[in-house]
Amino acid sequence: MSLRNTFLHYLQALCLLSSGKSDLCNWSGSGLMRDDNLRAVQQVRLHCPEGSVEWIYPSHALRVVLEPTLARAQHTAVCIKPFRGFRGASLFIERTGELDLLMADGEQPEQVHCFRTDGRQKSAIFIQANPQEDISRRIVGFHFEFLRKRSSAARLREPLQAACQPCNDTELLLAICNSDFVIRGSIRNVSHDAERQTSVVEVWGGRVYRQRSGVFEREAGILAPSWHGHIHTRLECRVGPGDGLFLFTGAEHFGEAWLGCAPRFRVFLALYLRAKRDSQNPCDFPLD
């Protein structure tokens, strides 16, 4: 049965309620149906701003409606990260009764796909399983995460695809207020991953002003403890090593830090002191 026919069948009939294990945030279930002649689409509803979907023995199709219980106005986008080794199915986003392809079967797994949300309509992900003779031990799925307004405003012009040009003064002053993490430190190393099209900046820091989760960890040192962690950015930004202290800001997604603004600390300090003198700083920042 074609994808179009499968989807039309779904619109014309009731969806088969999933019998898998589910809570408000995560779902795990099987694509095997008792009646193989019933070409229904399995239906899943999740109500958390982040979670995961695990589909074992994928067969026919699965529709996942994402509707966090928090006010939808707080979210401006949602990101989907397929499981490692995702094969045997394709991912679609459902928009006003139409399906737009996010990832075809066999495309690069672990690539994060983000799209804007419309507060008037629920976000839905459609997984179409491809016909295959052997589905033993086959598992497909994805992690999802809604972006809050404050995350979207903090330099990520498109989620997880930060612009490469330096932040202007206004963006930088807002970044210290709105970013998921703010850390002062130096660059120890920069590595590049051509497959994921990302660069990873290894940061050795003197102080973490803020972080949403445990991306940066405190390590014992001979003289004093220090902070250590890794920050991701797009490969096209051509990030390289640099000497001196920087102020790193950005957003956290799927347990990873993504770079936003990263000025040299002395440049930021001069800007902040000038803005504070002129009463133009949007928030207070500790200078000790």
Side-chain angles (χ1 to χ4, degrees):
M1 179 178 291
S2 68
L3 172 61
R4 178 177 178 81
N5 289 338
T6 300
F7 190 58
L8 288 176
H9 181 83
Y10 152 73
L11 292 175
Q12 295 169 356
L14 292 175
C15 291
L16 178 68
L17 293 178
S18 297
S19 58
K21 296 180 180 179
S22 178
D23 55 32
L24 293 178
C25 307
N26 308 284
W27 178 85
S28 178
S30 171
L32 298 179
M33 301 179 185
R34 294 181 180 178
D35 183 358
D36 191 58
N37 293 321
L38 180 60
R39 300 279 177 167
V41 178
Q42 288 182 270
Q43 172 91 345
V44 174
R45 290 181 180 271
L46 297 175
H47 303 284
C48 276
E50 58 184 77
S52 64
V53 171
E54 181 184 66
W55 197 23
I56 307 171
Y57 309 127
S59 177
H60 308 314
L62 175 71
R63 181 178 184 259
V64 183
V65 177
L66 305 175
E67 45 182 359
T69 53
L70 295 176
R72 292 187 60 82
Q74 295 181 359
H75 304 109
T76 57
V78 61
C79 293
I80 304 297
K81 183 178 182 180
F83 286 176
R84 181 187 296 271
F86 189 110
R87 294 191 311 275
S90 298
L91 273 175
F92 298 82
I93 173 179
E94 179 185 321
R95 301 178 190 269
T96 61
E98 298 291 335
L99 296 179
D100 295 331
L101 181 66
L102 281 180
M103 187 185 78
D105 186 14
E107 285 189 355
Q108 188 177 24
E110 292 191 90
Q111 172 113 16
V112 175
H113 305 268
C114 300
F115 52 90
R116 299 292 177 183
T117 58
D118 185 347
R120 296 167 298 178
Q121 186 177 8
K122 299 179 179 64
S123 302
I125 305 299
F126 197 86
I127 308 180
Q128 171 72 26
N130 293 336
Q132 48 192 311
E133 295 181 0
D134 182 15
I135 62 171
S136 62
R137 292 178 291 183
R138 179 77 71 193
I139 299 176
V140 298
F142 59 86
H143 302 281
F144 69 89
E145 178 180 307
F146 279 84
L147 302 185
R148 297 161 293 166
K149 273 189 174 180
R150 62 181 294 270
S151 294
S152 300
R155 181 58 174 163
L156 295 184
R157 300 225 171 96
E158 288 297 328
L160 301 188
Q161 308 228 358
C164 296
Q165 60 266 30
C167 295
N168 60 38
D169 291 352
T170 301
E171 290 173 328
L172 177 52
L173 290 174
L174 287 174
I176 63 172
C177 308
N178 299 328
S179 295
D180 289 337
F181 67 87
V182 181
I183 178 174
R184 182 184 68 206
S186 57
I187 299 175
R188 169 177 283 189
N189 183 49
V190 178
S191 59
H192 306 286
D193 188 335
E195 183 177 354
R196 291 189 63 189
Q197 287 294 295
T198 60
S199 296
V200 179
V201 182
E202 184 181 5
V203 175
W204 188 264
R207 178 167 182 182
V208 170
Y209 298 96
R210 182 192 311 123
Q211 64 172 325
R212 184 157 61 90
S213 58
V215 175
F216 300 94
E217 298 179 344
R218 199 175 183 89
E219 295 186 353
I222 298 177
L223 299 178
S226 184
W227 293 90
H228 178 256
H230 297 83
I231 303 176
H232 296 71
T233 189
R234 302 296 298 173
L235 184 64
E236 65 197 53
C237 294
R238 301 179 182 273
V239 174
D243 298 328
L245 281 177
F246 294 82
L247 188 71
F248 300 99
T249 70
E252 298 179 22
H253 301 289
F254 304 109
E256 296 177 338
W258 284 81
L259 187 64
C261 300
R264 290 190 178 274
F265 188 74
R266 58 178 172 80
V267 173
F268 158 74
L269 191 59
L271 170 64
Y272 178 78
L273 290 175
R274 186 168 61 251
K276 187 174 183 180
R277 181 196 62 200
D278 298 337
S279 299
Q280 294 180 347
N281 53 317
C283 65
D284 291 327
F285 185 83
L287 298 178
D288 54 321

